[in-house]
Amino acid sequence: MRDLKPNPIVAAWESGRPAISAWSIIPGKLSAEMLALLDFDVVTIDMQHSNFDRSDITAAITAIQAAGSAAGVRVPWNDDPGLAMALLDFGLAAITGPHVGSRAECERFVRACRYPPLGIRNSNIPRASAYRRNLGAYFDSVHRRELVIAMVESVAGLDALDDIAATPGLDVIQLGPSDLVLSRFGLSTPAEEAAGYLEEAHRKPVAGARRHGIRAAANAANPARARHLIGLGYDLIYLGCDLFDMEDHYRIVLGDLGDMLGRKPTDSGAR
């Protein structure tokens, strides 16, 4: 009987270091599989801002796991219990609910992801248990094996962060900077004011997580930003994004070849 693998995010924490996740929005399995073969702890697929459907997502999860890594998913919204249960049954290291703005919203999301008595998740013979070959071990460790993450992405959510972080069954609280800035400033964002606001906001999830015995997550576009956030106390970093990292790479390459293409050098556009 093949043993269930430990959650690599939890394993990283137990070893005393933060966990690093890739972020994938390119539908299909090739990009996800390639990322899984790198030294990330987990590969997270974003269903919210991509064209992943249920067929794509299950193929990508399978490819990630076959490559020896673990998969996480951000679902499209925080109020679809059926989708959350189906994805967890298929086998995830973490599931993320976006735009959680209150304790009540967080409770609904957590309840969809947890078995009774904490939640309403249905009993099943999930793929996550190796099709019942490890059913006992799976259920014994399910709350450590499947992390539940709530994203705070609005001013209302930031104001309610402490209540959200106290939700029973929640493992990680994550800040969503882009939507938080949009919530605070609208579409016309003053760059310097927004940067200062975000820097202050980034301290709140870490403080809230520590108060309530959970972990904090954030996304970073590059290694320098990742180091800064880890220095603030973040435990899980989502590094880059496959589609935009590819765009940044080719902007730089085409910029370097601008003279050969008959174009003036332009800003690389790197994030």
Side-chain angles (χ1 to χ4, degrees):
M1 182 187 299
R2 181 174 297 175
D3 291 337
L4 296 175
K5 292 183 178 180
N7 187 317
I9 302 172
V10 175
W13 295 338
E14 290 178 343
S15 73
R17 67 170 179 86
I20 306 295
S21 176
W23 192 263
S24 179
I25 65 172
I26 300 176
K29 59 187 179 183
L30 292 183
S31 177
E33 181 182 49
M34 179 273 294
L35 292 170
L37 290 168
L38 299 175
D39 288 334
F40 291 104
D41 295 298
V42 62
V43 177
T44 299
I45 301 165
D46 181 14
M47 292 186 75
Q48 185 184 25
H49 295 300
S50 71
N51 290 321
F52 275 99
D53 59 23
R54 287 208 184 193
S55 178
D56 292 329
I57 196 76
T58 52
I61 293 169
T62 302
I64 291 166
Q65 294 169 341
S69 189
V73 173
R74 176 167 74 171
V75 295
W77 205 244
N78 60 46
D79 61 353
D80 188 342
L83 178 61
M85 293 181 200
L87 290 171
L88 287 167
D89 281 351
F90 205 73
L92 296 180
I95 187 166
T96 303
H99 221 277
V100 174
S102 68
R103 170 70 175 261
E105 287 182 10
C106 191
E107 288 175 344
R108 285 197 298 272
F109 178 64
V110 171
R111 282 174 58 78
C113 300
R114 295 302 195 195
Y115 290 107
L118 276 177
I120 59 170
R121 185 175 167 191
N122 298 151
S123 176
N124 197 359
I125 305 300
R127 179 178 179 271
S129 70
Y131 300 109
R132 77 181 179 185
R133 287 176 177 81
N134 287 301
L135 195 59
Y138 168 73
F139 283 124
D140 286 344
S141 61
V142 67
H143 287 183
R144 284 168 51 82
R145 189 168 299 284
E146 299 169 350
L147 301 178
V148 180
I149 303 172
M151 288 193 73
V152 169
E153 305 183 79
S154 66
V155 172
L158 194 63
D159 289 343
L161 188 144
D162 208 53
D163 285 341
I164 293 169
T167 303
L170 184 68
D171 297 298
V172 181
I173 193 155
Q174 179 182 347
L175 191 72
S178 297
D179 279 322
L180 180 61
V181 167
L182 184 62
S183 172
R184 172 63 178 82
F185 297 102
L187 292 173
S188 300
T189 305
E192 290 187 9
E193 188 176 352
Y197 175 75
L198 271 183
E199 201 59 33
E200 182 63 29
H202 262 114
R203 300 181 184 279
K204 295 185 178 181
V206 175
R210 297 296 180 267
R211 279 193 296 272
H212 296 285
I214 62 173
R215 301 281 184 160
N219 62 291
N222 54 61
R225 184 62 177 166
R227 290 181 183 278
H228 174 72
L229 293 169
I230 291 168
L232 291 179
Y234 279 92
D235 308 288
L236 171 59
I237 299 294
Y238 298 96
L239 183 60
C241 172
D242 55 0
L243 180 64
F244 297 124
D245 288 342
M246 180 173 67
E247 179 192 21
D248 288 347
H249 168 76
Y250 282 111
R251 280 183 185 272
I252 293 169
V253 170
L254 290 171
D256 287 346
L257 293 175
D259 57 333
M260 300 184 69
L261 298 172
R263 299 169 184 163
K264 294 180 180 181
T266 58
D267 178 69
S268 69
R271 291 168 293 133

